[in-house]
Amino acid sequence: MEPERLRRRLNSAFRLRGLLLRADALKYLTEALRSISEVELDDTIENVIDAVEKQPLSSNMVEQSTVEAAVQECSQASDEPVENIFNIIGAFDIPRYIYNSERKKFLPLSMTNFPVPNLFGTARDKAELFRERYSILQQRTHRHELFTPPAVVSHPDESRSKFQLKTIEALLGNTAKVGELIVLGMITQLKEGKFFLEDPTGVVQLDLSKAISFFFHSGLYTESCFVLAEGWYEDEVFHVNAFGFPPTEPSANTRAFYGNINFFGGPSSTSVKASAKLKQLEDENENAMFVFLSDVWLDQAEVLEKLHTMFSGYSAAPPTCFFFCGNFSSAPYGKNQIRSLKGSLKALADIICEYPSIHKSSRFVFVPGPEDPGPGSVLPRPPLAENITQEFRQLVPFSVFTTNPCRIQYCTQEIIIFREDLVNKMCRNCVRFPSSKMDIPNHFVKTVLSQGHLTPLPLYVSPVYWAYDYSLRVYPVPDMLVIADKYDPFTVTNTDCVCINPGSFPRSGFSFKVFYPSNKTVEDSKLQGL
């Protein structure tokens, strides 16, 4: 295309998006895009502008350096790197995005005035932890069809079926009785035996005596979880009729609203969901298989014997990856714990080496459990120490010791793995235990996905590094959520997300789960009696 005509098209395209090109940036872009065919030009310009907007811009005047980085990013995206097929993302490597209510979009940490996360968090980090959880759920709820304001000219029945969210501040200013309210807030117990509802604007005492169990919608309502409370306000008390969770939102809806931001992490600059090439690879590779085991007690002879049996069964068709979740010792305390764990890992490495096909073809990922050696029970947990795993990594080179929780990106699929005995903790800390016929795993999965967080519990029950709380988010909803818990094994699908618990390997008759990514199916497996 003629340079002059191309310059005019570039200028008008950038102006449409509220950006202005400096002369040197325009010259560079004209040179870079001259060889692009007329058919592909519009898409290429759009991609370049998208890449420019992702960078931290100080003004609407675009410099040459910004344009160069954008062109480089687009050229990398066009030849999809092979290393994007399978990635293990540790909790401390997950990118942090903060919701900006004025711009109604998520901004990367670099574009905000927030400090870089630190394990020794400040008081501000603790306050922001709950504020961020609230703002994510609030923007998601406001977008739900039940809470979107009706159109100006709408059918009377339609506007009657819509709900309006109120803040606690709006309640506290009233002296008369106010009826039929819905408030989004966090359940807290500021005084013993008395529950309160809290949001960024204030706190109000709750009266739960009228909310009979029938009106508690499905889910596990714990302290520190966010709820939609329905009821009336009188004499500085909010009388609750019913409790519900903020509605969940499928990942596709979230991405339709926020574009291809890579919330999940990994080497890709945009969300892997947008890659047609990776989707094709995923569909073609029908033999891909992930095996999940939890509580792999390597110090027990029977467990090692069953692993022998499992490897021999899989040696003809090795799985893509084995995921071993802790605890890795049945007796996780005592002065010899680390020495014994080193010896147990060596025994496992020797077994793997006996099966050359698995040793060469399969990967091994180890997620530490709550009682494995490490710095206490605060989440996220770092990997097992290098001095413990060094010998194993030399013998089994395709092994990765990662954090708890961790994330796995396989082609276009996103998987979160979390090893924590969470079901019992949440049941113990319920404000009211569910009475509906739905089984506990369904209640549990609904709670985690509705809260958009792995541990919707008070910090004294499930401590978290304040500044790294974002690494426990379950938003946007992943394709698969693996919660390795000592509770009975289960597989539940909710909001297009497959949630599984492989169960405790030794306690559940040596059961484990197998996942086939190409068709998103989960297979229950057991080694008992073999």
Side-chain angles (χ1 to χ4, degrees):
M1 186 187 280
E2 298 161 24
E4 189 54 43
R5 197 161 143 235
L6 179 55
R7 269 198 289 273
R8 282 202 299 273
R9 278 179 76 165
L10 285 166
N11 264 326
S12 64
F14 272 79
R15 279 204 187 100
L16 276 171
R17 301 278 278 268
L19 300 168
L20 296 171
L21 281 168
R22 284 202 182 277
D24 53 352
L26 181 59
K27 187 180 175 185
Y28 172 82
L29 259 186
T30 310
E31 285 297 317
L33 303 184
R34 267 178 74 177
S35 58
I36 304 286
S37 69
E38 189 89 29
V39 185
E40 297 173 358
L41 188 62
D42 282 341
D43 285 344
T44 308
I45 293 173
E46 286 297 308
N47 291 340
V48 169
I49 298 173
D50 286 341
V52 165
E53 285 185 331
K54 271 189 269 171
Q55 297 179 52
L57 302 173
S58 52
S59 72
N60 67 338
M61 189 65 77
V62 181
E63 307 285 342
Q64 183 178 339
S65 57
T66 309
V67 170
E68 282 176 5
V71 169
Q72 193 175 350
E73 187 181 315
C74 290
S75 60
Q76 281 174 351
S78 61
D79 43 275
E80 192 79 58
V82 178
E83 63 264 22
N84 283 7
I85 291 175
F86 185 87
N87 289 290
I88 299 152
I89 304 147
F92 300 101
D93 302 322
I94 294 167
R96 184 176 180 185
Y97 284 89
I98 292 155
Y99 183 71
N100 185 309
S101 53
E102 290 167 5
R103 294 172 67 175
K104 289 192 165 44
K105 63 192 287 189
F106 281 90
L107 301 177
L109 186 66
S110 57
M111 289 177 69
T112 66
N113 61 354
F114 285 79
V116 174
N118 190 319
L119 287 181
F120 303 102
T122 61
R124 179 188 176 179
D125 290 325
K126 188 179 183 184
E128 288 299 336
L129 175 161
F130 292 110
R131 195 177 290 129
E132 279 184 45
R133 287 192 203 178
Y134 174 85
S135 61
I136 284 175
L137 297 178
Q138 187 195 37
Q139 58 86 24
R140 195 179 76 189
T141 306
H142 274 308
R143 261 202 322 280
H144 192 268
E145 58 187 3
L146 290 174
F147 294 92
T148 47
V152 180
V153 184
S154 64
H155 195 275
D157 292 343
E158 190 186 328
S159 55
R160 223 173 285 135
S161 66
K162 301 283 185 182
F163 299 106
Q164 194 179 357
L165 282 184
K166 296 282 185 189
T167 59
I168 289 170
E169 187 178 45
L171 306 187
L172 299 176
N174 288 293
T175 49
K177 178 179 175 179
V178 187
E180 292 198 12
L181 295 165
I182 295 184
V183 180
L184 173 66
M186 183 175 80
I187 303 174
T188 52
Q189 193 174 180
L190 300 180
K191 295 178 186 171
E192 193 175 348
K194 288 189 177 178
F195 290 103
F196 292 77
L197 198 66
E198 202 173 321
D199 77 1
T201 66
V203 184
V204 66
Q205 189 177 328
L206 295 177
D207 171 19
L208 300 178
S209 59
K210 310 285 187 300
I212 55 173
S213 295
F214 179 72
F215 290 111
F216 274 70
H217 291 231
S218 57
L220 301 172
Y221 293 87
T222 60
E223 272 185 69
S224 292
C225 78
F226 288 86
V227 294
L228 291 169
E230 187 182 347
W232 77 94
Y233 176 76
E234 188 177 21
D235 297 333
E236 299 183 357
V237 176
F238 186 35
H239 302 268
V240 178
N241 285 332
F243 262 163
F245 278 135
T248 52
E249 179 179 73
S251 166
N253 294 15
T254 310
R255 293 184 199 289
F257 200 78
Y258 293 115
N260 289 330
I261 299 174
N262 183 7
F263 291 101
F264 197 73
S268 178
S269 53
T270 55
S271 169
V272 288
K273 295 278 179 199
S275 170
K277 199 176 280 186
L278 286 176
K279 182 66 184 158
Q280 186 186 345
L281 282 170
E282 181 186 306
D283 294 340
E284 286 172 358
N285 189 6
E286 292 177 7
N287 298 326
M289 185 198 323
F290 296 156
V291 178
F292 296 94
L293 296 86
S294 177
D295 270 354
V296 186
W297 292 344
L298 299 174
D299 58 338
Q300 292 215 341
E302 196 179 2
V303 170
L304 291 176
E305 193 184 309
K306 294 296 180 189
L307 290 176
H308 242 303
T309 309
M310 185 175 74
F311 290 145
S312 69
Y314 279 129
S315 59
T320 311
C321 190
F322 288 94
F323 294 93
F324 291 135
C325 300
N327 304 316
F328 296 114
S329 304
S330 57
Y333 300 108
K335 60 182 181 181
N336 295 325
Q337 183 193 4
I338 289 176
R339 193 188 311 149
S340 122
L341 184 54
K342 274 185 184 177
S344 304
L345 283 169
K346 169 75 168 63
L348 175 63
D350 291 341
I351 294 172
I352 293 169
C353 291
E354 284 179 38
Y355 301 94
S357 58
I358 287 177
H359 183 255
K360 285 177 190 167
S361 309
S362 299
R363 289 168 181 250
F364 295 85
V365 175
F366 292 82
V367 179
E371 292 175 345
D372 284 321
S377 57
V378 187
L379 294 167
R381 277 181 72 94
L384 289 174
E386 286 190 8
N387 69 315
I388 299 174
T389 63
Q390 188 175 9
E391 190 176 3
F392 183 92
R393 283 182 286 115
Q394 284 168 355
L395 291 167
V396 185
F398 292 129
S399 58
V400 176
F401 289 82
T402 185
T403 59
N404 180 24
C406 70
R407 296 181 174 193
I408 308 296
Q409 173 252 314
Y410 169 74
C411 291
T412 67
Q413 294 201 29
E414 298 174 342
I415 301 169
I416 296 178
I417 302 175
F418 184 41
R419 170 65 187 98
E420 184 73 19
D421 295 327
L422 203 56
V423 178
N424 282 350
K425 270 187 188 177
M426 287 183 67
C427 290
R428 277 202 309 271
N429 288 278
C430 275
V431 172
R432 189 166 301 179
F433 200 71
S435 61
S436 74
K437 299 284 187 288
M438 206 159 83
D439 59 344
I440 292 297
N442 276 292
H443 282 296
F444 170 72
V445 167
K446 183 181 176 183
T447 306
V448 169
L449 295 183
S450 297
Q451 296 299 307
H453 199 273
L454 289 170
T455 58
L457 287 161
L459 293 177
Y460 63 83
V461 175
S462 181
V464 171
Y465 289 114
W466 300 338
Y468 283 96
D469 182 71
Y470 69 92
S471 66
L472 301 174
R473 278 184 203 160
V474 190
Y475 184 81
V477 173
D479 296 281
M480 186 181 205
L481 178 60
V482 182
I483 303 223
D485 194 295
K486 65 182 179 189
Y487 190 81
D488 298 340
F490 61 76
T491 302
V492 174
T493 302
N494 188 317
T495 325
D496 301 337
C497 173
V498 181
C499 303
I500 66 166
N501 170 27
S504 174
F505 189 58
R507 290 193 185 108
S508 59
F510 303 101
S511 64
F512 58 96
K513 299 274 187 187
V514 180
F515 176 60
Y516 299 93
S518 61
N519 54 8
K520 291 191 180 179
T521 53
V522 177
E523 210 174 69
D524 296 341
S525 303
K526 209 168 196 178
L527 293 171
Q528 198 169 35
L530 292 176

